[in-house]
C-alpha cells in the first residue's frame, strides 16, 4: 500500500500580531498567485537569517578554483564588440597614449604601484574617446551611466564601501566609475589614490600585477563581489594588467571567460574592452534596466537602495538582504519595508532553462486546491526583460541557458535559531516534517533541499479573504497538544517552508522508471542526506544498524495522537516481529560482501526519507548552537563541551558533496555517537534535548534502501521522528528550556556567544565561523567532478 493512500488530517501556532500587507502601489491587499486576495499579518521583522560576514569570506575562498580560467583564443570574437577602426586609429596615434605605454607602463620593472597611475590615465583617455563617439547614440549608450564617461581611479589603499550584506573589504587597484570625479574623495597623503568609493559606482575593475600573482584570478574575484553588490549588472567586464601585457575578463551567470594576454600595443584589443563597457555584444547583457538605484540625497555616496520593477508595480526602497553565487543561479533577495506594514521579499535568480520544474509553478500547484499552511506563497512571478527582451545567457555550445526570473513572496518567517523556548523549535520541526510529507503525499512535490535556510519558524502568513484553505491539511502540533482539530482556516503551522528551486514534481512518476530529476544530487551540503551526498545508497564502509523499530508512544502523547490522527494511522506504521519501520532488513548473518554487491545494484534516486534526514541535520545544527538562558554557571562552556561542540560543528559545516560512493561522509560518525557522547557536546541545561537527538539519530542512521521488502510507507522516517518529538513535547510541557534568541554558542576562538545579525538574509549559521554551503545546482547521477560545488554566497 503506497503512502499516497494514507488518510490525511490537518495543522500550529498563531503567527505574531496582524496588519495588512502592502502592494507595490501602497495599497493593503495582495493578489496572490492562486487567484485569491490575502491580508498578511504584521510581524516585528521579516525573514531572519544569521550573520553573513564569515559566510561571505568562506564563499570567496571557494571561488578561487573557478576564478582562474583557461584563456579563450577566440575571446575577442565571442565576448566583446570590436571598436570602430576610427577610434582605434585615433588612440594608436595619440601622443599621450603612446607616452603612457612606451615610457611609463612598459618600463615598470617590479613595483606594481608604478602601474596604477599610468594605466588609469590610459584607460580614462580611451574611455573619453569612446564616449565622444557614442554619446549622441542613445541606442548604444547605457542610460545608467548618466551621460558621463567612465573614468579610472587608483583605489588600492582603501576598500570599497557599502557592500550590501555583511562586510567585504575589497581593494581593487583601479576602478572604472561613473565620471563625477568631483564627488570622489582623494585620500590624504596617498599621492592621488582615492578612497570610500561605493560598490554601486563601480562599472569595471582593473588588477595590476608586476611580476608575482595571478592578476586574472584576482580581477575575477573582484568582479564576483562587484556583481553581488550590483544586482543590476548581469554581466561584468574587468581587466588584468601586468608587465608588457593585459587580459580582458567577462563574468556572467554562465561563469568566467578570459582572453589571452595581449601586448600593450594591441590597441584593437584594448579599445574593444573599453567599447564593450559602453556597447557590449547583444548577448552579453551588462545592465538590468528593471532595477534602478536610489541614493541618499543628504549623504554623498552614502548607502543605496533599489527600485524593483515587477508585473504588479514598482517596489521602492528595496534593500539587498542576500546575495548568491554570481557564476550560477545568482540569487539576490530584496526586502521592501513599508510603514505600518509587513515587509515584502523579492527574489531574483538566473534559472537553468533546462530544469523541468520552476519554483513559481510548483508553489502554484501546491496551493491550487487552497492555501497549504506552512508553505510560502508568491504574489507574482515573471521573466525579467529589458525593453521586452528576456535577460538570457546561453553558453557557447548551447548546453546551458540561464534566464533571469523574479518572484515576489507573500509570507515571511524567522530563522530556527531565534526560537524561545526549545519547545518552539521542536514544534516547528514537527510541523516541517508534517508539511513535507503532506506535500510529497498529497501534492506530489518533493522539496529536496530541506535545510536551516529553508525551514523557518514563527511564520507570518497571509489569510485568504475567500477562505480557500486546503481542507486536507493534517493536524499541526498545536492541535495535537490541545487535543482539538481546528477548522482549516484556523489551523496554523509552526513552520514556513521556502525555496522550491530544487523541488521535483512526482506526478506520473512510476516506480519502475526512475525520474532523471530524482537521480540528480542537489541540496545544501551541510544538511544533505548521506546517500544524496555520495550518490549511492551505501558506501560499503559504514556500519549497518537495524535495531530501532518504530517508536511506540506512551501515555498522553499516544492519546493526543490517536484522538486527532486515528487508531488506523497509528497502527499502520507500527512494526511487527521481524520488521523495522515496516521493512525487512538483511539477516544479521549476512556477510558484508553480498550487501556491497546488492547496494551497487540499487539505482540511486532521491527518496522521501533523505529529506527527513536533512530535517534531522537541520534540527541538530540549530539545537547544537542555540544558547539556553541561564545563570553564568549554567551556560559556561566546559573544556569537554567546547571541544565536542567545535568538533561536531566542524563536521557539519565542512561537509561537501562527495566524489564517489566509496567516500566517507564526515557526519556519519555523529550518528554513531552514544547517548553519553551526544550529551558531551551540549550544555547541561540541554541534556534531555541531546537525549532526544540521540534517539532520533538511531532511526536516521539505518540504510533503509537495503531492506527487502522496503518499508511500505515512504514517510516512515517522518513518522518515527515526529513520534519522538511529540513524546518529548508532552513530557516537557511544564518545563520548557528557555533560550536567548539571536545568541549562539561560540565555535571560534572567542568564548563570547555569536551574535546573529538582525538585518541579513545570509545563509551561514553564525557571524563568526559560519556554516559551509555549496552551489545547489543538481549534480547529474554520473557526474564525478572531484571539485566541491560551491554556492558562493548562499553560498544557496
Amino acid at each position: 500500500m503506497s503512502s499516497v493512500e494514507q488518510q490525511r488530517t490537518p495543522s500550529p501556532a498563531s503567527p505574531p500580531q496582524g496588519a495588512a500587507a502592502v502592494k507595490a502601489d501602497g495599497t493593503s491587499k495582495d493578489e496572490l498567485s492562486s487567484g485569491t486576495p490575502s491580508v498578511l499579518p504584521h510581524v516585528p521583522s521579516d525573514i531572519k537569517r544569521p550573520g553573513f560576514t564569515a559566510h561571505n569570506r568562506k564563499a570567496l575562498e571557494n571561488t578561487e578554483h573557478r576564478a582562474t580560467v583557461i584563456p579563450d583564443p577566440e575571446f575577442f570574437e565571442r565576448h566583446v564588440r570590436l571598436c570602430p577602426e576610427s577610434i582605434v586609429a585615433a588612440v594608436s596615434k595619440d601622443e599621450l597614449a603612446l607616452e603612457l605605454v612606451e615610457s611609463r607602463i612598459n618600463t615598470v620593472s617590479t613595483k606594481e604601484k608604478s602601474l596604477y597611475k599610468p594605466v588609469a590615465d590610459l584607460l580614462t583617455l580611451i574611455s573619453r574617446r569612446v564616449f565622444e563617439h557614442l554619446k549622441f547614440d542613445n541606442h548604444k549608450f547605457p542610460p545608467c551611466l548618466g551621460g558621463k564617461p567612465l573614468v579610472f581611479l587608483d583605489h588600492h589603499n582603501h576598500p570599497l564601501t557599502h557592500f550590501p550584506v555583511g562586510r567585504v573589504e575589497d581593494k581593487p587597484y583601479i576602478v572604472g566609475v561613473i565620471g563625477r570625479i568631483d564627488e570622489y574623495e582623494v585620500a590624504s597623503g596617498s599621492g592621488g589614490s582615492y578612497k570610500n568609493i561605493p560598490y554601486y559606482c563601480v562599472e569595471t575593475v582593473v588588477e595590476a600585477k608586476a611580476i608575482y600573482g595571478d592578476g586574472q584570478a584576482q580581477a575575477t574575484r573582484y568582479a564576483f563581489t562587484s556583481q553581488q553588490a550590483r544586482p543590476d549588472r548581469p554581466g561584468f567586464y574587468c581587466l588584468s594588467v601586468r608587465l608588457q601585457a593585459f587580459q580582458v575578463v567577462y563574468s556572467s551567470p554562465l561563469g568566467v571567460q578570459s582572453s589571452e594576454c595581449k601586448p600593450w600595443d594591441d590597441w584593437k584589443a584594448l579599445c574593444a574592452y573599453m567599447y564593450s563597457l559602453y556597447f557590449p555584444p547583444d548577448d552579453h547583457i551588462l545592465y538590468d534596466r528593471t532595477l534602478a538605484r536610489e541614493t541618499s540625497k543628504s549623504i554623498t555616496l552614502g548607502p543605496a537602495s533599489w527600485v524593483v520593477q515587477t508585473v504588479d508595480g514598482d517596489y521602492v526602497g528595496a534593500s539587498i538582504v542576500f546575495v548568491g553565487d554570481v557564476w550560477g543561479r545568482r540569487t539576490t533577495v530584496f526586502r521592501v519595508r513599508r510603514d505600518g506594514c509587513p515587509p515584502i521579499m523579492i527574489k531574483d535568480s538566473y534559472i537553468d532553462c533546462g530544469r523541468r520544474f520552476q519554483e513559481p509553478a510548483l508553489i502554484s500547484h501546491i496551493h491550487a486546491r487552497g492555501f497549504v499552511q506552512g508553505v510560502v506563497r508568491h504574489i507574482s512571478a515573471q521573466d525579467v526583460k529589458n525593453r521586452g527582451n528576456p535577460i538570457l545567457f546561453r553558453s557557447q555550445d548551447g548546453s546551458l541557458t540561464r534566464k533571469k526570473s523574479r518572484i515576489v513572496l507573500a509570507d515571511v518567517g524567522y530563522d530556527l535559531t531565534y526560537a524561545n523556548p526549545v519547545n518552539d523549535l521542536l514544534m516547528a520541526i514537527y510541523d516541517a516534517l508534517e508539511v513535507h510529507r503532506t506535500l510529497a503525499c498529497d501534492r506530489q512535490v518533493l522539496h529536496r533541499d530541506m535545510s536551516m535556510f529553508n525551514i523557518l519558524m514563527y511564520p507570518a502568513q497571509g489569510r485568504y479573504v475567500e477562505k480557500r484553505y486546503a481542507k486536507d491539511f493534517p493536524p499541526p502540533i498545536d492541535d495535537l497538544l490541545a487535543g482539538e482539530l481546528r477548522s482549516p482556516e484556523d489551523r496554523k503551522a509552526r513552520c514556513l517552508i521556502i525555496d522550491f528551486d530544487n523541488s521535483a514534481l512526482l506526478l506520473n512518476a512510476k516506480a519502475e522508471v526512475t525520474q532523471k530529476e530524482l537521480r540528480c544530487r542537489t541540496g545544501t551540503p551541510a544538511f544533505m542526506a548521506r546517500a544524496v551526498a555520495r550518490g549511492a545508497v551505501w558506501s560499503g564502509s559504514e556500519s549497518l544498524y537495524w535495531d530501532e523499530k518504530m517508536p511506540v508512544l506512551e501515555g498522553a502523547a499516544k492519546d493526543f495522537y490517536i484522538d486527532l490522527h486515528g487508531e488506523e494511522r497509528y497502527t499502520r506504521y507500527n512494526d511487527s516481529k521481524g520488521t523495522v519501520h515496516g521493512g525487512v532488513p538483511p539477516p544479521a548473518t549476512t556477510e558484508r560482501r553480498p550487501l556491497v554487491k546488492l547496494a551497487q545494484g540499487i539505482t540511486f534516486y532521491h527518496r522521501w526519507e533523505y529529506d527527513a534526514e536533512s530535517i534531522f541535520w537541520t534540527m541538530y545544527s540549530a539545537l547544537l548552537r542555540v544558547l539556553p538562558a541561564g545563570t553564568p554557571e549554567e551556560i559556561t562552556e566546559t573544556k569537554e563541551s567546547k571541544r565536542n561542540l567545535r568538533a561536531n560543528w566542524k563536521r557539519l559545516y565542512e561537509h561537501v558533496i562527495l566524489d564517489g560512493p566509496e567516500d566517507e561522509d564526515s557526519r556519519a560518525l555523529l550518528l554513531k555517537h552514544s547517548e553519553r557522547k551526544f550529551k558531551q557536546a551540549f550544555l547541561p541545561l540541554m541534556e534531555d534535548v541531546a537525549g532526544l537527538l540521540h534517539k532520533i539519530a538511531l532511526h536516521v542512521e539505518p540504510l533503509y534502501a537495503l531492506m527487502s521488502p522496503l518499508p511500505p510507507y515512504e514517510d516512515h522516517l517522518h513518522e518515527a521522528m515526529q513520534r519522538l518529538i511529540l513524546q518529548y513535547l508532552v513530557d516537557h510541557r511544564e518545563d520548557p528550556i528557555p533560550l536567548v534568541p539571536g545568541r549562539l554558542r561560540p565555535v571560534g576562538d572567542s568564548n563570547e556567544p555569536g551574535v546573529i545579525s538582525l538585518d541579513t538574509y545570509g545563509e551561514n549559521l553564525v557571524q563568526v565561523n559560519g556554516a559551509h554551503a555549496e552551489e545547489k545546482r543538481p549534480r547529474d547521477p554520473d557526474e564525478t567532478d572531484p571539485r566541491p560545488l560551491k554556492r558562493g554566497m548562499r553560498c544557496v
Side-chain angles (χ1 to χ4, degrees), residues 541-560:
S541 62
E542 294 178 73
S543 61
L544 299 175
Y545 177 88
W546 313 103
D547 294 346
E548 292 299 317
K549 291 179 176 289
M550 183 62 63
V552 176
L553 293 172
E554 299 177 349
K558 182 176 180 180
D559 294 338
F560 286 145

Side-chain angles (χ1 to χ4, degrees), residues 3 39 55 85 106 153-154 253 260 288 291 342 367 378 404 455 478 530 564 588 630 713 763 790:
S3 59
V39 178
H55 168 79
E85 289 295 335
N106 281 340
L153 305 176
D154 174 359
E260 296 178 312
D288 174 359
L291 293 172
H367 297 296
H378 68 289
K404 187 171 187 178
I455 303 173
D478 278 318
R530 293 158 295 155
L564 268 71
Y713 305 111
E763 296 192 273
K790 305 302 180 184

Side-chain angles (χ1 to χ4, degrees), residues 378-670:
H378 68 289
I379 297 168
S380 65
Q382 67 190 87
D383 291 340
V384 181
K385 299 179 179 180
N386 276 342
R387 295 176 174 173
N389 298 315
I391 296 180
L392 201 71
F393 292 86
R394 184 175 288 108
S395 63
Q396 204 68 38
D397 60 4
S399 62
L400 175 63
T401 300
R402 290 191 180 275
K403 66 177 179 180
K404 187 171 187 178
S405 67
R406 180 168 294 152
I407 181 170
V408 182
L409 301 173
D411 306 313
V412 296
Y414 284 77
D415 186 273
L416 293 175
T417 52
Y418 280 85
N420 185 32
V422 163
N423 284 11
D424 279 9
L425 194 157
L426 294 175
M427 293 167 80
I429 292 294
Y430 182 98
D431 278 350
L433 287 160
E434 193 67 44
V435 171
H436 181 275
R437 68 197 291 192
T438 299
L439 295 184
C441 218
D442 298 338
R443 298 302 189 270
Q444 294 287 286
V445 173
L446 191 60
H447 191 280
R448 298 197 300 171
D449 189 18
M450 300 300 285
S451 71
M452 178 76 76
F453 318 129
N454 295 334
I455 303 173
L456 305 179
M457 65 184 303
Y458 300 136
Q461 297 172 322
R463 64 179 179 84
Y464 279 100
V465 174
E466 297 179 3
K467 303 294 182 184
R468 290 187 61 243
Y469 287 80
K471 291 182 171 50
D472 55 355
F473 188 77
I477 187 62
D478 278 318
D479 286 25
L480 276 174
L481 295 177
E484 177 185 0
L485 181 61
R486 291 174 291 181
S487 62
E489 59 269 22
D490 290 329
R491 295 171 200 161
K492 296 291 186 291
R494 285 270 187 161
C495 68
L496 180 67
I497 296 177
I498 64 171
D499 195 352
F500 287 81
D501 283 334
N502 292 293
S503 301
L505 189 63
L506 305 179
L507 289 174
N508 303 319
K510 298 181 180 180
E512 67 274 14
V513 182
T514 304
Q515 287 183 309
K516 181 179 179 181
E517 288 86 355
L518 294 182
R519 294 189 59 219
C520 293
R521 294 186 283 159
T522 187
T524 305
F527 311 99
M528 186 180 286
R530 293 158 295 155
V532 179
R534 63 177 168 253
V537 297
W538 187 36
S539 68
S541 62
E542 294 178 73
S543 61
L544 299 175
Y545 177 88
W546 313 103
D547 294 346
E548 292 299 317
K549 291 179 176 289
M550 183 62 63
V552 176
L553 293 172
E554 299 177 349
K558 182 176 180 180
D559 294 338
F560 286 145
Y561 184 105
I562 292 176
D563 284 348
L564 268 71
H565 286 303
E567 183 80 37
E568 191 277 331
R569 169 168 158 169
Y570 182 72
T571 58
R572 182 194 314 155
Y573 291 94
N574 287 345
D575 279 309
S576 59
K577 185 177 181 180
T579 68
V580 174
H581 285 217
V584 179
T589 56
T590 305
E591 294 183 0
R592 180 172 292 266
R593 183 175 298 176
L595 287 178
V596 171
K597 186 174 182 179
L598 172 65
Q600 291 173 343
I602 298 176
T603 301
F604 164 80
Y605 70 94
H606 200 113
R607 299 166 56 88
W608 296 16
E609 68 206 40
Y610 296 159
D611 273 8
E613 180 179 335
S614 293
I615 295 174
F616 167 77
W617 292 121
T618 298
M619 174 187 182
Y620 180 89
S621 299
L623 290 170
L624 183 67
R625 295 300 308 282
V626 293
L627 184 69
T631 64
E633 293 77 16
E634 291 175 320
I635 64 172
T636 298
E637 299 280 355
T638 65
K639 289 184 178 180
E640 182 180 62
S641 67
K642 185 185 298 184
R643 181 179 66 254
N644 285 283
L645 165 65
R646 292 180 177 180
N648 294 0
W649 184 248
K650 180 181 176 67
R651 290 183 179 275
L652 287 168
Y653 82 79
E654 288 189 351
H655 180 257
V656 298
I657 299 177
L658 303 177
D659 185 25
E662 300 80 15
D663 291 350
E664 187 71 27
D665 193 297
S666 64
R667 304 161 302 168
L669 183 63
L670 299 179

